Every structure is written in C-alpha cells, then in structure tokens.
Amino acid sequence: MARTIYERDTDALFIAAFDRPEFTARFLKLAGIAPGRTIRKLETQAPHPVGTGSIDIALDLSGGERLLIENKIDANYSVTRAGDAQPERYAASVAALKAKGIATRSVLLAPECYLKASRHARSFNATVRYEDLRSVLSGAARELLDAAILQAQTPYEPDPNAASARFFEDFYARARKIAPRLKLKGNPNGGGVRPTGSHTIYVDVPSSLSSWRDVPKPRMSIQAWDSGVHSASVKIMIGGLGHRATELPVPAGLMRLDGYLRPAGKSLGCTVDTPRLDTQRSLAEQLTAVDAALRAAAELQDWWNGSKEEIRALVAGA
C-alpha cells in the first residue's frame, strides 16, 4: 500500500476538530484531563521549551494545564539534536514546564496498532487512539481518519516501476564513477523494486560525512525531483533546526557553492539546487544533468567534511 496520508493531514484534521466542543471533551477525557476544562490557546509546531524540535499540537487549557501532543500515523520517531528520540524530547519538555509550576502532560496520538507496536509509547503521560475519536467525527473528517488507520495497519508494498528501477540502477553505477567518495545507501526495497514516486537517493552518512561533538548526526540526500519547491537539490539535513532556516546566516563555504538554508521537514537543509531528473527516462538521455547533481553532492560533501568550525558555529547559533 502506497503512503498517501501524512501526519500533516491528520494534524490539520485534529486542529479543525478542536473547534468543536464534543470532540474536545472526548479528547481531553481520553488524555486523562478532568472534566470541564476548555482550550484557551492552540499552537501548532510550537518549539520545545528545552532542546530543539517542535510539538505537533500544544494546548493551553483552562485551569493552567498544558498538553503537548505528538501525532503519529506510521512514521518513525525523529531525532533530537542530542541524538534522542522524540519521546525523550517530550519528557524533557514536560519536566521543564513542571519545574516552572505549569501542570503539563505529554500525549501520543496514534492508531491503535502504532501504540501497541511502539516501545516508546509508555514514555508519554497519556496515549489516545485514533479509533476512540471516530464517534465524534463525521463526513470527510471521519473518512480521512479511517484511511489513516487503514494505512497504519497495512504493510508498505511499493508498486514496481521498471523505468524507475533502471534509472536508479544506472544512477548508482554513474555515482561510483563521478563521485566515488560519496557512498549511497542501497535500495530500501527488495528485489531491486522502485515505485513510480521514488525520487530520492539517500547517502550513507557514516561512510561519507564526518561527525563532530556538539553537531547532531546529519542526513544527506540527492533529490531527483521535488514538486514542492522550485528545483531538485542535494541536501545535508540537521535535525530539529528547520524552524530557524530563515533566521540563520548561510555559512560562507556553503555560499561559495551557491548553497542556501531551507527547512527540510523539521530539519535544517544545507541545500544546493540541481537540475531535475526524470526517473521515467533513461539516464543516458540526461547524463549532463545527472553528472551536475553528482558533482554538487560531492562538493557539498567536501564542504561539510572540511568545515567543522563553520558547521559547529551554525548549530551553536541555532
């Protein structure tokens, strides 16, 4: 089953539903909140009070309580700057707010199968099942919730695309020639399968990028196509800093590559634009563009590996 519903979709569903007293009362009861409380303020992607990263939905309640809600469908937990998973981040934020005298609870909101499978679920003060909210939703909202529940229950099985498989196989071979020091992760799907919507090549970070104290372990990717932005790109991503992308100064070494900073999900993307690549055409037909992308990736790799102090300053400034 292809992934067609994302957490941002159900975030929007729940945010809209909190305008309805019946939904709010049901949710607060499931989260262990005493009856009669109402929402005074709702924030989305609010920064954690300690560390980095953001809270999916934060609720300030009458009576002075605060709820920190992490919404999940089927994705893994992201990582904090210190290398900790999201549950540790929420626990630290709850402790920090309680130390200030603010009654606070963390809530993991997810389908039942996710909650049963997650070894970190008990790290949250409360868990709320999608299934227990169906009765206070209707129409398109309930349909979306049901689809998210089904997606969480259904193993991901990519729909094979022969053209995509050939493109990526040839891309890996070309990378070994043009950027031999850049080690790419293998195909995440068995049997060489690549679905039509596969547009990203991930870099094996431990084999390709240096790591330093006080700098979170990065991720790196080569994007063949990105419909959400103006260009394809290569990116080195630093977790939890995406909300500072427009505020931080672009490192001088990155600027020399015509690079810039932009959000990449919740991460800070150290980005260099590259030509778009069509995975449904042969690699030979677009060799110039492919080589440009690989050279940009190699240059970005060299910048990272040779710029420890510049990158540590970037992270410290965040």
Side-chain angles (χ1 to χ4, degrees):
M1 180 178 180
R3 280 348 189 206
T4 58
I5 300 171
Y6 299 92
E7 284 158 10
R8 62 177 178 268
D9 301 319
T10 50
D11 280 348
L13 183 159
F14 297 129
I15 290 164
F18 278 124
D19 281 338
R20 299 174 53 238
E22 184 182 14
F23 178 90
T24 298
R26 176 70 169 162
F27 180 89
L28 295 181
K29 179 180 179 180
L30 293 169
I33 302 299
R37 298 295 169 86
T38 58
I39 297 174
R40 288 186 170 177
K41 181 181 179 182
L42 183 153
E43 292 182 90
T44 62
Q45 300 304 315
H48 276 277
V50 293
T52 59
S54 57
I55 300 157
D56 286 340
I57 304 172
L59 302 179
D60 287 343
L61 306 178
S62 57
E65 290 186 80
R66 187 164 173 82
L67 287 188
L68 312 182
I69 302 168
E70 175 63 22
N71 175 37
K72 288 290 188 188
I73 300 175
D74 50 15
N76 293 326
Y77 294 108
S78 65
V79 177
T80 67
R81 289 179 61 183
D84 298 321
Q86 282 171 319
E88 284 73 26
R89 183 189 312 173
Y90 277 84
S93 292
V94 168
L97 291 170
K98 283 185 173 180
K100 295 180 179 180
I102 303 171
T104 308
R105 291 173 65 80
S106 60
V107 181
L108 178 57
L109 172 60
E112 181 180 23
C113 64
Y114 189 98
L115 297 176
K116 285 183 175 179
S118 174
R119 61 189 177 90
H120 292 291
R122 66 185 60 188
S123 300
F124 290 81
N125 299 124
T127 59
V128 175
R129 304 188 310 168
Y130 277 20
E131 288 83 351
D132 291 333
L133 297 171
R134 292 186 71 254
S135 63
V136 286
L137 293 171
S138 60
R142 183 186 286 188
E143 291 175 6
L144 176 59
L145 189 73
D146 286 344
I149 293 168
L150 177 61
Q151 177 172 295
Q153 295 170 343
T154 308
Y156 173 58
E157 296 178 357
D159 186 18
N161 181 293
S164 293
R166 284 192 298 271
F167 176 88
F168 282 102
E169 183 179 352
D170 291 344
F171 188 96
Y172 279 89
R174 190 67 178 175
R176 289 191 288 270
K177 180 177 180 179
I178 300 299
R181 289 180 291 102
L182 194 70
K183 307 304 180 185
L184 304 182
K185 285 188 176 182
N187 188 342
N189 307 304
V193 169
R194 285 279 185 174
T196 304
S198 182
H199 295 131
T200 306
I201 303 98
Y202 290 100
V203 172
D204 183 347
V205 164
S207 301
S208 302
L209 298 182
S210 298
S211 60
W212 303 293
R213 183 173 54 86
D214 300 326
V215 175
K217 179 182 176 181
R219 295 178 294 124
M220 184 175 181
S221 67
I222 304 171
Q223 195 78 30
W225 181 277
D226 190 340
S227 60
V229 295
H230 67 280
S231 175
S233 63
V234 296
K235 294 189 295 293
I236 294 177
M237 294 157 282
I238 306 173
L241 303 184
H243 64 290
R244 296 296 310 280
T246 60
E247 305 167 17
L248 294 170
V250 181
L254 183 60
M255 289 182 67
R256 285 194 287 272
L257 303 178
D258 291 327
Y260 59 98
L261 302 175
R262 73 170 176 85
K266 296 182 181 180
S267 298
L268 176 69
C270 302
T271 307
V272 176
D273 287 343
T274 55
R276 284 184 172 179
L277 307 175
D278 187 349
T279 60
Q280 302 308 293
R281 293 170 54 209
S282 73
L283 184 135
E285 293 179 61
Q286 41 193 331
L287 202 57
T288 299
V290 168
D291 287 356
L294 286 168
R295 291 192 178 100
E299 291 173 352
L300 190 62
Q301 176 191 27
D302 288 344
W303 166 71
W304 178 276
N305 289 341
S307 305
K308 177 173 72 172
E309 295 308 319
E310 191 171 77
I311 293 161
R312 290 180 70 180
L314 173 67
V315 172

